[in-house]
Amino acid sequence: MTNTDLAKRVYDHAFKLDPIIRSLLDTDIYKLLMLQTIWKEFADIPVTFSLINRNRDIPLSRQIDLGEFREQLDHARTLSLTKKERIWLAGNTFYGQDRLFSSEFIDWLSHYRLPGYELAEVGDQIRIDFHGSWSDITLWEIPVLSIISELRSRSALKRYGRFELDIIYSRAKAKLWEKIVRLKQLPDIRLADFGSRRRHSFLWQNWCVQALRDGLGENFTGTSNTLLAMEHDLDAIGTNAHELPMVLATLAANDEELKYAPYRVLESWQRTYDGNLLVVLPDTFGTTGFLRNAPEWVAGWSGFRIDSKDPVAAGEELMDWWRSRGQDPASKLIIFSDGLDIDSIEMIHRHFLDKARVGFGWGTHLTNDFRGCAPDHNDQLNAFSLVCKVTRANGFPTVKLSDNLEKASGPETAIQRYLDVFGKDQVLHRTVLV
């Protein structure tokens, strides 16, 4: 992937269809890691994934063309692993481990293609659902979000001429580089690209990754995007997500089994992975409740990822919990990943310096920060909070509480039941921007 003239590419589309997803590996590595666990232990659980627009004031169906959307989805369905990609997955070292993916799993994945979908326009919003077995459906999450985000960007840029586009991209590049200059001043900063889902475009994410590698050197730890990791010989970074406990919770026969579901996920995970992949995501049903009820062995895992809670409060709570279980926080990894930008990264880094091993997964405000870059301050170039979540599993609606109830999903009665089971302490309402 050479350095592309982004403005020219936007202005002068050379193809009838300019594909957004060009490889099955244009997804985050955590989806493949989770898929291997799902494929081994839970492959046939029926699920539904659905698009959820958390910013309902964004009229999505007016900002992208549904015909173009369908074309991009259908193109993604034609993709399968290439020989090069299969060899790379089988032979690459991930997290210091050889053969992280079994040959049986790679054989299965080599014949995999994305399944069908249901698409409709509902008012000024888009409805898209994916139904099927968990192992077949789960990989749709990242491609559908990336397609929508890039189609929205393309639509927003159509109004500009060649030189205006050049200025927009020049401003965005300067803006990111100024952030990188500030990051370079932070001692021992460890930062990875987590920006695939809501990126401005694939080519822009590619530029951002190269800028971080050149600007931060060894302090840039890699990218969650599997294809970019392969193309640039970078580490693919990522572990697991809320999807696992959300689905496994639907298998619970009673409230006691429901309460244990988050730890059943971890038991399953450690049957396949170890070392630095033993990172806990505790906030699916609330971090405080998770820590209060966690079995002793969870404290022995390598680290935690903080997502939806105030980062300083969550980090301090976690370190106190480790100490109460005889663990040294300085030996543990804490990954911060929720809505980060340069100011919050600087603040978190200063607070936790020398207290723990801290890493940052920088997402939307890395790969889609065009705020103020257009001459007319075009709001459609601003990122927003769009997710694709599992909404049903095993015949039941799924629930996510989060530490921030603005991110909660599921029917109200089910949410209330989960709050009763897992506890309501320190579960708050905070504005969701991305």
Side-chain angles (χ1 to χ4, degrees):
M1 280 177 242
T2 56
N3 200 1
T4 303
D5 185 334
L6 294 163
K8 184 177 187 304
R9 179 63 177 269
V10 171
Y11 184 71
D12 183 25
H13 285 291
F15 311 100
K16 182 177 180 181
L17 173 69
D18 190 7
I20 292 172
I21 306 299
R22 307 172 193 191
S23 165
L24 202 60
L25 293 190
D26 186 9
T27 191
D28 285 337
I29 189 67
Y30 79 87
K31 294 298 297 189
L32 296 176
L33 294 170
M34 291 198 305
L35 176 57
Q36 181 167 230
T37 293
I38 294 165
W39 173 80
K40 285 174 60 177
E41 302 193 22
F42 312 104
D44 296 328
I45 294 175
V47 302
T48 296
F49 274 69
S50 304
L51 190 70
I52 301 172
N53 183 359
R54 291 174 176 157
N55 299 129
R56 299 291 294 181
D57 58 324
I58 303 291
L60 201 53
S61 69
R62 299 177 190 169
Q63 295 184 346
I64 71 171
D65 180 271
L66 258 64
E68 292 181 9
F69 186 30
R70 192 180 295 278
E71 283 185 324
Q72 293 290 346
L73 294 169
D74 290 344
H75 173 76
R77 293 189 62 207
T78 69
L79 300 172
S80 59
L81 281 187
T82 66
K83 182 178 179 181
K84 172 185 175 181
E85 292 167 346
R86 176 174 174 156
I87 292 171
W88 182 80
L89 279 177
N92 196 47
T93 299
F94 298 88
Y95 290 89
Q97 301 179 47
D98 295 328
R99 300 192 178 279
L100 191 62
F101 297 105
S102 71
S103 58
E104 294 82 4
F105 172 70
I106 293 177
D107 285 343
W108 175 84
L109 189 62
S110 296
H111 297 93
Y112 174 86
R113 295 196 181 194
L114 291 165
Y117 56 88
E118 294 179 3
L119 175 63
E121 183 176 355
V122 182
D124 61 3
Q125 297 299 321
I126 291 172
R127 177 171 180 171
I128 184 165
D129 298 300
F130 307 95
H131 307 284
S133 66
W134 195 6
S135 56
D136 282 340
I137 296 300
T138 184
L139 284 189
W140 258 124
E141 178 185 357
I142 306 301
V144 71
L145 294 174
S146 301
I147 288 169
I148 291 173
S149 186
E150 183 159 350
L151 285 178
R152 186 169 177 262
S153 297
R154 290 182 182 185
S155 173
L157 294 171
K158 285 180 180 178
R159 71 178 70 174
Y160 303 112
R162 172 69 176 82
F163 289 97
E164 287 177 307
L165 289 168
D166 205 25
I167 293 300
I168 290 170
Y169 280 105
S170 295
R171 288 174 174 173
K173 288 179 177 180
K175 190 176 189 179
L176 176 57
W177 192 254
E178 288 172 5
K179 295 178 184 181
I180 292 173
V181 169
R182 289 170 62 177
L183 289 171
K184 290 173 70 174
Q185 308 309 309
L186 302 178
D188 301 319
I189 183 75
R190 306 290 289 172
L191 182 144
D193 157 45
F194 275 21
S196 296
R197 293 189 302 163
R198 302 190 192 107
R199 66 195 183 195
H200 171 81
S201 70
F202 172 76
L203 292 175
W204 180 249
Q205 183 183 16
N206 180 53
W207 190 91
C208 293
V209 164
Q210 292 182 78
L212 281 171
R213 184 180 61 181
D214 289 353
L216 295 183
E218 293 183 356
N219 296 107
F220 177 53
T221 57
T223 173
S224 64
N225 188 285
T226 316
L227 179 62
L228 292 176
M230 181 182 75
E231 294 291 343
H232 294 298
D233 195 23
L234 294 167
D235 286 339
I237 304 294
T239 53
N240 53 72
H242 303 105
E243 173 185 343
L244 291 176
M246 288 172 70
V247 173
L248 264 62
T250 68
L251 306 181
N254 51 53
D255 285 355
E256 196 60 33
E257 288 188 12
L258 175 60
K259 195 173 186 177
Y260 193 76
Y263 317 113
R264 183 183 174 191
V265 169
L266 304 185
E267 289 174 342
S268 171
W269 190 259
Q270 65 185 3
R271 282 194 287 270
T272 302
Y273 305 115
D274 57 21
N276 286 333
L277 280 170
L278 296 183
V279 174
V280 181
L281 178 63
D283 74 317
T284 307
F285 308 124
T287 296
T288 298
F290 178 95
L291 295 176
R292 180 175 57 244
N293 299 314
E296 285 297 320
W297 54 266
V298 176
W301 275 40
S302 301
F304 276 59
R305 177 162 73 91
I306 305 298
D307 188 54
S308 58
K309 199 165 191 173
D310 175 84
V312 170
E316 290 291 342
E317 180 183 24
L318 178 57
M319 291 194 298
D320 287 343
W321 180 79
W322 272 323
R323 294 187 192 101
S324 73
R325 281 153 178 79
Q327 300 286 330
D328 179 9
S331 69
K332 298 292 188 177
L333 175 65
I334 308 179
I335 300 171
F336 296 92
S337 62
D338 183 32
L340 297 174
D341 205 359
I342 183 62
D343 291 340
S344 56
I345 292 172
E346 288 176 331
M347 180 274 293
I348 295 167
H349 183 271
R350 285 194 298 267
H351 185 90
F352 290 101
L353 185 63
D354 298 328
K355 295 181 179 180
R357 296 163 48 220
V358 171
F360 296 93
W362 194 12
T364 306
H365 287 141
L366 165 65
T367 61
N368 200 354
D369 188 5
F370 281 70
R371 294 169 293 180
C373 293
D376 55 353
H377 300 284
N378 185 350
D379 287 343
Q380 194 175 316
L381 282 173
N382 296 345
F384 69 110
S385 188
L386 187 72
V387 295
C388 182
K389 293 289 185 184
V390 57
T391 51
R392 288 191 67 83
N394 193 37
F396 298 96
T398 58
V399 172
K400 179 189 175 192
L401 295 180
S402 175
D403 290 314
N404 177 6
L405 281 177
E406 295 298 319
K407 289 186 173 183
S409 62
E412 191 58 41
T413 54
I415 288 175
Q416 188 56 55
R417 179 198 171 203
Y418 278 57
L419 285 170
D420 291 340
V421 169
F422 292 102
K424 304 175 184 179
D425 43 345
Q426 299 193 41
V427 177
L428 307 172
H429 287 269
R430 297 170 61 206
T431 300
V432 179
L433 299 178
V434 293

